[in-house]
Amino acid sequence: MKATNIQDPEYFHKVVDCQYACPAHTPVPEYIRLIAAQRYTDAYMINWESNVFPGVLGRTCDRPCEPACRRGRIDEEPVAICRLKRVAADNKGDISDRMPIIPKKKNGKRIALIGGGPASLTVARDLMPLGYSVDLYDDQRAGGGFMRSQIPAFRLPEEVLNDEVNRILDMGVITHFNHYVDSLKTILDKKYDAVFIGSGAPRGRDLDLPGRQAADANVHIGIDWLSSVAFEHVESVGRKVIVLGGGNTAMDCCRTARRLGGDEVKVIVRSPFAEMKASPWEKEDAAHEGIPIMDNHVPQEFIVEDGRLVAMRFDRVKAVYDESGSRRLVSTGEEPVIVPCDDVLVAIGQENSFPWIERDVGVEFGKWDMPIVDETTFQSTNPTVFFGGDSAFGPQNVITAVAHGHQAAISIDLHCQGESVAKRPPPGVTLVSQKMGIHEWSYDSQVENDDRYQVPQAELEFTLSNRKLEVELGYDATTAFQEAQRCLNCDAQTVFSEKLCIECDACVDICPTDCLSIVVNSADEDQVRQTLKMPANNTEQDIYVSADLRTGRAMIKDENVCLHCGLCAERCPTAAWDMQKFYYSVSKAGQCG
């Protein structure tokens, strides 16, 4: 095998599993160390540079980083990365002097943002410091998009959302709130240099079942109902409520219904419980609030008596899988289940809706009537129109929308400067030794044995009676420090120097996970992986291969199981191993290629 090219910015990036899994590639270990040192403002700013909404995401993120966390490979639970992010947001100091300077003299380029959600706001945050004039159009009364309309206040307090949204708007964004854009052609006629569409996935799916029309007054589309609650158009719900669906929106609907008077709220889902799309912690929160989840039930009919919805009928099913793993839901043949209800909330999915985009403005549409959008540049077939967030590729989450916004801002800047949007600037990368003495490092390399710390919650008797009272209380400083210490510092990389190695095997002997081996190299990677001291069977993670040593063998390291403990570097008598901090920052608009 060829020697590993550690100058490739993506090599060590992939080793920092949490950051690599984050769509916005937030430098997770770096800000966690700062939280442990109680440098909350510094930790917040590192987050803000990449994910833009640390306070929001510290409460609501889908946490793709946590399943990737290698702490979960040696412990039952990963580091509570998401909730540590909230610690930085809740405890930060004044950051006004750290905000980008907005040029008073503009660069002459005008940008329109349609939709005021996280993708559009990220574009504004990246382009305003470059001198762009930005107009934002949104049909809501304030910015935030679905963060405001669909995430309940008991999960995301309005003051937290306002703080982070207004920080961007206060850069000088010209806002047009309560303004529904009903024609893209009208926007294009205003001669903007570029238009970014971040309008989300505004249409919830409905169910076409017998009784649907007759029960219309008491059947509500989940995302629309949540929006009506958020803007205080709806303040109550029936005593018996059925929520249809198994995603996070369904969990928000059922928990909101409990707070608006639903004494008997049930979530009823077609799929098996384990296959529900809702995040595990969302299901746990619903269960904690006494909301049962009935899985393997397929809705068949809305039952209406005397013009009023009284129940729903369901067929009991079981999941059957074929050889390819595809699932079918097959009726068990049992008697249908009748569930009484006063109201039904339909949360079975969302889809994009673009009736306002004329089909003669150069934006082509493809499968499922979705715009054709380049997955790298986010440019549509009309070169001045860009998409991002849910409106680009369908419903996802806040952090993905932020990632889209950063990349779209790069493309918009390149487009407006007359450059090719394919000319992507590289990420920022540093690799710096952490050595402070012979056996001393500038970070704490001790591997803690603590289990994951639970986040305290407010008492149910209070939270269920007030839909605006935040349920999670967050970590205090002591618990945050203890949780931060569980981080394995995966960005502190082991870097090897062949010319210093004397092949004494000291590093191999002391390694607690047997991830180091000095073996004969081969062109056959599968063979090399099996000849290591501990076979490296996870092919999704690379192995670190040195150039040939004096004996013709090579030092090979399995990156998958390394704890970054630094024992190899401490033990090495010639300093052939060094611990070097790898810092990776995603490119932004305005950076040179």
Side-chain angles (χ1 to χ4, degrees), residues 142-455:
F146 74 89
M147 298 187 295
R148 186 177 300 278
S149 63
Q150 293 172 37
I151 302 179
F154 57 80
R155 289 181 56 210
L156 176 58
E158 189 173 22
E159 58 269 21
V160 174
L161 178 62
N162 288 341
D163 177 60
E164 297 192 329
V165 168
N166 291 339
R167 185 167 295 120
I168 297 170
L169 298 182
D170 290 346
M171 290 179 174
V173 176
I174 301 168
T175 58
H176 306 268
F177 291 131
N178 298 310
H179 183 126
Y180 175 72
V181 174
D182 59 6
S183 166
L184 178 58
K185 183 178 292 186
T186 299
I187 297 294
L188 293 174
D189 286 344
K190 295 179 184 292
K191 303 303 180 184
Y192 286 103
D193 295 281
V195 175
F196 176 80
I197 297 174
S199 55
R203 185 170 65 190
R205 291 178 180 153
D206 203 347
L207 273 178
D208 184 15
L209 293 176
R212 172 63 180 90
Q213 296 305 315
D216 186 62
N218 296 95
V219 179
H220 317 281
I221 303 302
I223 61 170
D224 296 339
W225 185 80
L226 286 173
S227 180
S228 295
V229 172
F231 293 110
E232 300 182 342
H233 303 312
V234 169
E235 297 180 350
S236 64
V237 73
R239 193 174 71 82
K240 298 178 180 180
V241 181
I242 291 174
V243 178
L244 300 176
N248 288 340
T249 299
M251 299 302 102
D252 286 339
C253 283
C254 70
R255 296 179 69 195
T256 300
R258 284 283 281 124
R259 287 159 172 78
L260 296 189
D263 295 330
E264 296 181 25
V265 180
K266 295 181 175 68
V267 175
I268 305 181
V269 59
R270 295 161 48 95
S271 65
F273 181 85
E275 296 180 18
M276 289 172 58
K277 293 182 179 179
S279 304
W281 51 90
E282 299 278 10
K283 294 190 284 188
E284 290 170 7
D285 287 341
H288 178 65
E289 294 178 359
I291 301 170
I293 297 177
M294 299 170 57
D295 63 349
N296 295 319
H297 282 66
V298 172
Q300 291 184 317
E301 179 185 9
F302 295 94
I303 300 175
V304 178
E305 295 180 358
D306 299 325
R308 185 175 68 88
L309 175 69
V310 296
M312 282 196 72
R313 178 165 59 90
F314 296 86
D315 184 25
R316 300 184 191 189
V317 297
K318 62 180 179 180
V320 177
Y321 305 87
D322 62 22
E323 293 180 355
S324 67
S326 297
R327 187 190 73 187
R328 288 188 303 120
L329 297 177
V330 179
S331 175
T332 63
E334 299 173 81
E335 286 293 318
V337 176
I338 306 297
V339 180
C341 63
D342 300 308
D343 284 294
V344 174
L345 305 177
V346 182
I348 58 172
Q350 297 166 226
E351 55 192 10
N352 295 69
S353 179
F354 299 106
W356 55 277
I357 297 182
E358 295 86 353
R359 294 319 193 247
D360 61 351
V361 294
V363 177
E364 295 181 13
F365 285 76
K367 193 175 182 181
W368 297 305
D369 202 33
M370 290 287 290
I372 297 173
V373 178
D374 187 279
E375 294 186 5
T376 300
T377 67
F378 296 89
Q379 189 176 48
S380 74
T381 51
N382 180 327
T384 65
V385 179
F386 300 79
F387 286 78
D390 292 355
S391 65
F393 306 113
Q396 297 190 63
N397 49 46
V398 176
I399 191 65
T400 300
V402 168
H404 290 181
H406 283 312
Q407 295 305 310
I410 292 173
S411 296
I412 291 170
D413 181 49
L414 291 170
H415 172 74
C416 289
Q417 303 309 317
E419 302 281 350
S420 167
V421 295
K423 182 184 173 185
R424 316 304 289 178
V429 176
T430 59
L431 192 60
V432 181
S433 177
Q434 299 302 289
K435 186 169 288 186
M436 299 179 68
I438 296 177
H439 298 303
E440 295 181 10
W441 310 102
S442 65
Y443 68 98
D444 186 357
S445 62
Q446 176 68 35
V447 178
E448 300 294 337
N449 294 320
D450 296 20
D451 290 333
R452 180 175 170 128
Y453 288 86
Q454 296 300 310
V455 179

Side-chain angles (χ1 to χ4, degrees), residues 51-62:
N51 64 46
V52 184
F53 305 101
V56 172
L57 288 164
R59 291 165 165 82
T60 66
C61 190
D62 280 1

Side-chain angles (χ1 to χ4, degrees), residues 435-490:
K435 186 169 288 186
M436 299 179 68
I438 296 177
H439 298 303
E440 295 181 10
W441 310 102
S442 65
Y443 68 98
D444 186 357
S445 62
Q446 176 68 35
V447 178
E448 300 294 337
N449 294 320
D450 296 20
D451 290 333
R452 180 175 170 128
Y453 288 86
Q454 296 300 310
V455 179
Q457 295 190 349
E459 295 294 331
L460 273 178
E461 61 178 301
F462 301 118
T463 60
L464 291 182
S465 61
N466 182 354
R467 74 169 182 84
K468 293 188 177 182
L469 181 63
E470 188 170 17
V471 173
E472 290 193 3
L473 302 178
Y475 288 138
D476 59 23
T478 299
T479 309
F481 171 79
Q482 293 169 321
E483 182 63 32
Q485 290 297 92
R486 298 181 67 238
C487 177
L488 297 175
N489 298 296
C490 295

